[in-house]
Amino acid sequence: MKSEKPNHIDSSAAGKLIARRKRKLDADELISKICEGNTTALSRAITLVESTASTHQQIAQQVLEGCLPHANQSVRIGITGVPGVGKSTFIEALGNHVIKNGKKLAVLAIDPSSSVSHGSILGDKTRMEQLSKNANAFIRPSAAGDSLGGVARKTREAIMLCEAAGYDVIFIETVGVGQSETAVHAMTDFFLLLKLAGAGDELQGIKRGIMEMADCIVINKADGENVNAAKHAKNAFAKALHLYPRKASDWQPKTKLCSAINREGITEIWELIESYFEQVKTSGFFEENRENQNIYWLKSSIENALKDRFFNNPKIQEALSKQLNAINAGETTPFLAAQLLLDLNNTQK
Ligand code: GDP
């Protein structure tokens, strides 16, 4: 069979120009559809953001740029808790309530387990059945990635796209694994921690720092025989929260009871969240916090990029293994070796 020759060569300048124009057209179309609230376009753009292919990344960046002026108009709420605490049931309950109040809701997730085990704690089962059928809800499972930094960046970009598509409430869900809570806290305006009542040991096993991040602790499954234990847990958490120094937001974190499965406590929790936003928008903390978050993400993007560039440099990789051997042989110290490698990196430029 005769092989057909292409009638143009794609790598030529003309080919590149055509490809670039096509990408621009693709991006422009996606931007206008996203801004009309088209969920197919939104999903497609998030897939491009998540893709590692460089052409996809180029379109994704153009789409993000185009969507940016329409982003920011939302409230971003982080929701965390261990597996089984009732996150999906709670999000389903609160989400439906929020939508009944006339809002459009997007639910995104950060699930670092998906990058480690390639399974996922959050994504496997059919979750939030009712919400997923609701036209005013957009649910997107966690992006995969080989680092939390990468997954976090993709989620932040997905937030912007959802905002441009008109979603005015964004839930970011995560499980209490690794540093994921810190990442979610750094990209949201309000941080909600879901807990279960234990037999008087409520405060044990809670990771350092998580309590400090929480704007609200919700004791879920406060139903049936569990009601009294839940009330005890609520009091214990309330006392503990009072011992923390006042937050920069000047908001005193609250504790609430909830039975997500019976839809009890949901209205009060949403009212509490609304009162938080009223307070921080009036005080100016809302804007200030978002500005600080931008600084944080700018710096952490630079850090990640520098680290990647350093460790992926073949010269560094070679020198690194030599230095490791030298350290183990007692010929140098980790500090001296690090200096040498950094100097080597500088002379490479
Ligand atoms: P997730 O792993 O944190 O997303 O938790 P799920 O929402 O999947 O809930 C785990 C289990 O707890 C399920 O069997 C739910 O039906 C149950 N559950 C969730 N919320 C409540 C609640 O308020 N009360 C009771 N009794 N069970 C609940």
Side-chain angles (χ1 to χ4, degrees), residues 22-90:
K22 180 165 179 330
R23 284 200 297 273
K24 174 94 175 61
L25 282 178
D26 287 350
D28 287 347
E29 195 184 339
L30 276 177
I31 295 163
S32 65
K33 283 193 170 156
I34 289 169
C35 293
E36 286 163 12
N38 179 315
T39 47
T40 313
L42 175 61
S43 294
R44 166 109 187 95
I46 296 178
T47 305
L48 290 171
V49 157
E50 289 173 357
S51 167
T52 45
S54 71
T55 45
H56 291 169
Q57 274 301 314
Q58 282 163 16
I59 304 176
Q61 292 315 313
Q62 288 181 11
V63 173
L64 280 166
E65 245 183 88
C67 285
L68 206 54
H70 310 278
N72 252 351
Q73 305 293 333
S74 77
V75 291
R76 306 168 184 164
I77 296 164
I79 298 173
T80 190
V82 295
V85 69
K87 287 182 298 302
S88 21
T89 316
F90 177 77

Side-chain angles (χ1 to χ4, degrees), residues 80-92 121-122 125-128 173-175 194 196 219-224 226 258-264:
T80 190
V82 295
V85 69
K87 287 182 298 302
S88 21
T89 316
F90 177 77
I91 289 173
E92 172 115 318
I121 299 179
L122 291 174
K125 48 197 165 146
T126 312
R127 311 173 80 239
M128 306 160 208
E173 176 191 12
T174 194
V175 268
L194 275 177
L196 294 177
I219 319 294
N220 191 32
K221 307 198 187 180
D223 43 47
N226 214 8
C258 168
S259 169
I261 210 154
N262 297 332
R263 307 275 207 261
E264 285 165 12

